[in-house]
Structures are given as structure tokens and as C-alpha cells.
Amino acid sequence: MADSKPLSSLDGNPVTTEALLWDVFGIVVHEAIRKGTNASEKVCEWKEPEELKQLLDLELRSQGESQEQILERCRTVIRYSVKTCHPRFFNQLFSGLDPHSLAGRIITESLNTSQYTYEIAPVFVLMEEEVLKKLRALVGWSSGDGVFSLCHYSIKKGAAFLGLGTDSVRVVKADERGKMIPEDLERQISLAEAEGAVPFLVSATSGTTVLGAFDPLEAIADVCQRHGLWLHVDAAWGGSVLLSQTHRHLLDGIQRADSVAWNPHKLLTAGLQCSALLLQDTSNLLKRCHGSQASYLFQQDKFYDVALDTGDKVVQCGRRVDCLKLWLMWKAQGGQGLEQRVDRAFALARYLVEEIKKREGFELVMEPEFVNVCFWFVPPSLRGKQQSPDYSEKLAKVAPMLKERMVKAGSMMIGYQPHGALGNFFRMVVANPMLTQADIDFLLNELERLGQDL
């Protein structure tokens, strides 16, 4: 017979449990939120891996620790983590903090449920469908299907997982701005058919990761229509532009897609993870493809409409609730508030572009059409030497050196990468809703300061 005595630590003691959580919430608010969003604080406190292991004391032991030790561990974890909500964190396509979204995430984690059946997640099953309906309407569909799940990143990985093999993926040429060339798409389809292959899907992009390019969806949809191909649009990054009446033209033609991926955790700041897969299909395709009808979960003789059990729509069945944070943020901001957030990001990106043009030592990779601003910082020793045979090689080494310096100083974080024949350049992502023109000015001034001796 099992021992009825409660386990050690806080199990079974609501008073001490609540006291611990209040203390933890206080640490989170002070350390992660107040200090983590303060421009005068560091974005990160860099430590080398071996030193960080010692500071964290990662070993798991047989004996538990005191509440005071646990609270100190919470502080340590926050202290040495990168503050992605910081206004000078420009490193990824996600950044910033929306308090209503965070409130939704806290509730989600506290309720600790899975999205797979109405039986255990009645609120969130209904909420998810309403949010997906809104997203589909913004795409331009009056009906369809969808799910919040992992649905973005790599076409080649998807082909590998499906057993098609990475060789089955044909790469279509892009122009100098990173946009798919529809004529080459047509050519690739013809080549594949001539080789006996059977093309079935085209994946276009609205908002590429590096350059922020938007593929010409109308022309691509024409090609897909002629050949009877499924058109998927990866709008993980750029989908939120649909909220802007000013800029949504960048996605003209998206309503002709068969499916769309959209990540509100990026430009809308809904918090990780918030990824929606939207389908125009109304034939229950997701369940037909993924359903295994596990009898211990999806009993067909339940006392409610079993169509509300959505777990069989996805590969993994059980999944976390990702709709609440977006729903609560939307309720608070309204569509107009979210539209202003998107438009403000575009305006700040334009401010950065104009400031770059004014300053010696800064060179745009290209004029952006989105909020990805790509540029080189040319240090004093390389200025005026563009004709030197080793200029490009030396310039490509600048961004990695400056990245190391800024991270070790903790002053900011900004990503860099090569692209095609172009050597390393910085990719500034203007997405954080807390970002100001002063932060943009700081970015440029800090690069000048860090690179003045190069």
C-alpha cells in the first residue's frame, strides 16, 4: 500500500507553496521584467561555458535544498540568461515583452493542460478556433482549418522527416532582393516533370529571415494554378503585416495560398511559442493526415461533440496551449493597437535607414522593404579602400569581432551573417515595441565606439 504521507519539500502545503510562488513572482518582476527591459541594464552577462557551469551548480543531487537556496538559484538563472525583452536585443526575429501576453503565458503554465480534447481544455479548444478564424480572415479566407503547432523552419527538414529525402527539394532562384523568380519556378517544374518527378508543392515566403523579402505571391499562385500544385506561404515572419492597412500590400495574393504559416510570437510579440498553421481546406485534411484515433483519448461515444477534440490534427497529439497569450493580447490591444505596433516598427526601420545614410562608415546592403535592416560597419582602417583586393575578406571579419565585443560588454546584441556572395553583414531587426529612436542612435554610436580601433 502506498504511503499516504506527503512528499518532502512543499508538496501538500498550500501556505508554503503560495509563499514560494509569491517570492518567485517578485524575483521575476524585478530581475527579468523591470531590469530586463531597462535600457541602462545589460542585455547579457557573458560567461565562458566552464565558468557558467560552476556559477549555476548544475549537478542534481539526492537531497533537496532550502527555499532560500532555490530562490537564489532563480536569481542566478535570470542573471546569466540573455534578456530578449531588452530594448537593445536585436539578435532574433522575436524580442520585447507584451504584459498581456505574459499574463496569458502565466495562466497557461499554471493550468498545465493539453490542447488535445475538449474534455480537459474546453476554454482553449473554443478559444483556439476563434483566434484561428480571425487569422484566416486576415489572410482573406471565409472558411478553412488550422492549428497552433510547430509549423515553420526548414523545407529540407520537412522533406527528410516525411521520407521524401532532401534531394526532392528543388531550390528556385531568387533575384537580388531575395524574392523568388516566378519564371525560374516554372522552369524548375518543367525540369522536374521531364525527369519523371511529380511536383506537388511550392513553398513561397512572406518575410525572409535575413533580407526580409516578400515573394511575388500573385505570379507564383498563377504558376501553381497552371500546374495544379499546392501553394504554401511561409509567413512566419511577415504574416503580421496583414494587420497593417498601410503595408499589407506586401502580401498581395496570399489569399490564393492553400496553406499559410504565421508566427505571432515574432512581430506581434505574443511570446514563444506561438505558431499557427492555417489551411483554406474544409475537408478535415489535418485529421485525415495525422489522426490515429487513440481509443484512450478520442472515444467516439463521448457525451459531447467529439469534433471538438482537436488532438488528432497534429503529429504530436498532446500540445501546449498557445492561443491564450495571443487572444489576451488582442483583447487588450485590439486590432488597431496591433496595427499601430506593426506600423511603428516600419517607421523605426525607416529612421534607422536614414541615419545609416548620414553616417560615415555605415553601408546598406540594400534598401529594405520590411523591418530587417542589413548593413555593414566599415571601420576606419578600411574606409576608402573598396578597390583593394582583400577588402571584402577584411570587411567580412568586422561583424564577428564587433559581435564578440558587444556581447562581452553586454551593451547590445545584433545578428550577422553572410548571404550568397556577400560577406558578413549585420541584420538589425526592428520589432521590439519598446524600441525608441534613442535605442537606434545608441546602436549606431555603440558600433562606432566598439569598432573605432579596427
Side-chain angles (χ1 to χ4, degrees):
M1 182 176 178
D3 189 351
S4 61
K5 181 180 177 181
L7 297 173
S8 59
S9 187
L10 305 181
D11 294 353
N13 189 331
V15 175
T16 51
T17 296
E18 289 179 18
L20 170 68
L21 291 176
W22 279 117
D23 287 341
V24 171
F25 288 151
I27 291 170
V28 169
V29 169
H30 185 263
E31 300 292 332
I33 299 176
R34 187 177 303 154
K35 292 174 67 175
T37 59
N38 188 336
S40 65
E41 298 283 346
K42 287 186 175 183
V43 176
C44 60
E45 190 166 334
W46 175 260
K47 299 293 179 185
E48 295 296 332
E50 288 306 315
E51 182 183 2
L52 185 57
K53 286 180 184 178
Q54 296 301 316
L55 289 167
L56 294 173
D57 185 19
L58 294 171
E59 182 185 351
L60 298 173
R61 303 180 178 90
S62 58
Q63 295 297 315
E65 297 181 336
S66 69
Q67 182 165 320
E68 290 72 24
Q69 287 175 298
I70 294 302
L71 293 175
E72 187 56 35
R73 294 202 180 281
C74 292
R75 293 188 187 94
T76 302
V77 166
I78 295 172
R79 177 178 179 181
Y80 295 111
S81 292
V82 175
K83 310 306 185 295
T84 64
C85 301
H86 197 285
R88 291 169 186 170
F89 174 83
F90 315 116
N91 209 66
Q92 315 300 143
L93 299 181
F94 64 88
S95 64
L97 173 70
D98 182 278
H100 301 99
S101 171
L102 179 57
R105 290 148 71 189
I106 291 170
I107 294 170
T108 295
E109 295 301 314
S110 301
L111 291 174
N112 191 39
T113 193
S114 176
Q115 186 80 51
Y116 46 39
T117 65
Y118 184 80
E119 183 177 343
I120 66 164
V123 171
F124 302 126
V125 166
L126 299 179
M127 182 182 292
E128 180 180 65
E129 182 48 45
E130 187 62 30
V131 175
L132 290 169
K133 179 181 176 182
K134 185 67 174 181
L135 297 181
R136 288 195 302 265
L138 285 166
V139 170
W141 302 335
S142 58
S143 60
D145 199 0
V147 68
F148 278 93
S149 185
L150 296 174
C151 56
H152 160 71
Y153 180 52
S154 171
I155 294 296
K156 283 193 173 182
K157 280 190 175 183
F161 292 154
L162 288 169
L164 297 172
T166 55
D167 288 345
S168 66
V169 178
R170 304 285 182 116
V171 178
V172 181
K173 289 181 181 179
D175 64 19
E176 69 281 355
R177 297 193 58 84
K179 299 172 180 286
M180 183 188 291
I181 300 173
E183 293 78 11
D184 190 61
L185 172 61
E186 188 89 57
R187 187 179 71 85
Q188 292 286 353
I189 293 169
S190 298
L191 285 174
E193 291 174 338
E195 294 168 10
V198 182
F200 66 94
L201 179 142
V202 173
S203 182
T205 306
S206 290
T208 57
T209 302
V210 177
L211 300 179
F214 288 78
D215 286 339
L217 298 182
E218 288 284 9
I220 293 170
D222 288 342
V223 175
C224 291
Q225 186 173 349
R226 280 196 297 272
H227 293 272
L229 305 183
W230 183 285
L231 173 57
H232 175 72
V233 176
D234 181 347
W237 177 217
S240 298
V241 179
L242 289 168
L243 285 151
S244 169
Q245 294 302 312
T246 303
H247 301 288
R248 63 171 291 136
H249 64 88
L250 292 169
L251 294 98
D252 282 352
I254 195 171
Q255 75 283 355
R256 298 177 63 187
D258 296 288
S259 57
V260 172
W262 182 348
N263 288 2
H265 69 247
K266 291 177 178 170
L267 190 54
L268 292 186
T269 325
L272 290 163
Q273 180 81 27
C274 191
S275 300
L277 174 63
L278 309 173
L279 275 70
Q280 192 169 184
D281 175 85
T282 57
S283 70
N284 218 12
L285 182 63
L286 290 173
K287 274 193 177 181
R288 290 192 289 115
C289 288
H290 299 137
S292 61
Q293 299 176 340
S295 59
Y296 59 88
L297 275 179
F298 306 115
Q299 303 91 339
Q300 296 304 296
D301 55 357
K302 289 183 178 181
F303 59 92
Y304 60 84
D305 182 1
V306 295
L308 294 167
D309 291 350
T310 58
D312 257 353
K313 285 187 176 184
V314 292
V315 173
Q316 75 269 30
C317 181
R319 56 193 171 94
R320 60 178 293 150
V321 174
D322 285 332
C323 59
L324 175 59
K325 52 198 169 191
L326 178 56
W327 179 86
L328 201 61
M329 180 179 73
W330 207 309
K331 281 287 191 180
Q333 297 284 342
Q336 291 182 343
L338 296 178
E339 178 179 12
Q340 291 171 7
R341 181 171 291 181
V342 173
D343 287 345
R344 188 169 181 275
F346 272 88
L348 281 171
R350 177 45 47 185
Y351 174 79
L352 172 59
V353 168
E354 296 307 317
E355 289 300 305
I356 285 174
K357 292 177 179 179
K358 295 176 186 176
R359 297 200 183 207
E360 184 183 12
F362 289 87
E363 181 184 344
L364 283 171
V365 174
M366 64 178 61
E367 281 281 344
E369 63 177 345
F370 194 20
V371 296
N372 308 39
V373 181
C374 299
F375 64 92
W376 288 282
F377 174 74
V378 183
S381 65
L382 290 179
R383 291 172 193 171
K385 298 182 179 179
Q386 286 84 346
Q387 304 306 316
S388 300
D390 58 353
Y391 174 81
S392 296
E393 181 182 351
K394 288 182 176 179
L395 182 61
K397 295 177 180 178
V398 173
M401 286 190 284
L402 291 180
K403 179 64 176 282
E404 179 180 359
R405 292 181 179 187
M406 70 177 73
V407 169
K408 289 185 174 179
S411 58
M412 62 184 185
M413 288 184 73
I414 178 171
Y416 73 87
Q417 63 286 302
H419 190 76
L422 301 175
N424 287 320
F425 55 85
F426 286 114
R427 179 203 62 172
M428 168 68 177
V429 179
V430 183
N432 190 333
M434 295 180 65
L435 201 61
T436 66
Q437 290 186 359
D439 296 311
I440 300 292
D441 294 338
F442 175 86
L443 161 77
L444 300 176
N445 293 336
E446 182 71 352
L447 285 175
E448 289 178 335
R449 185 186 73 82
L450 293 171
Q452 62 184 346
D453 64 335
L454 295 180

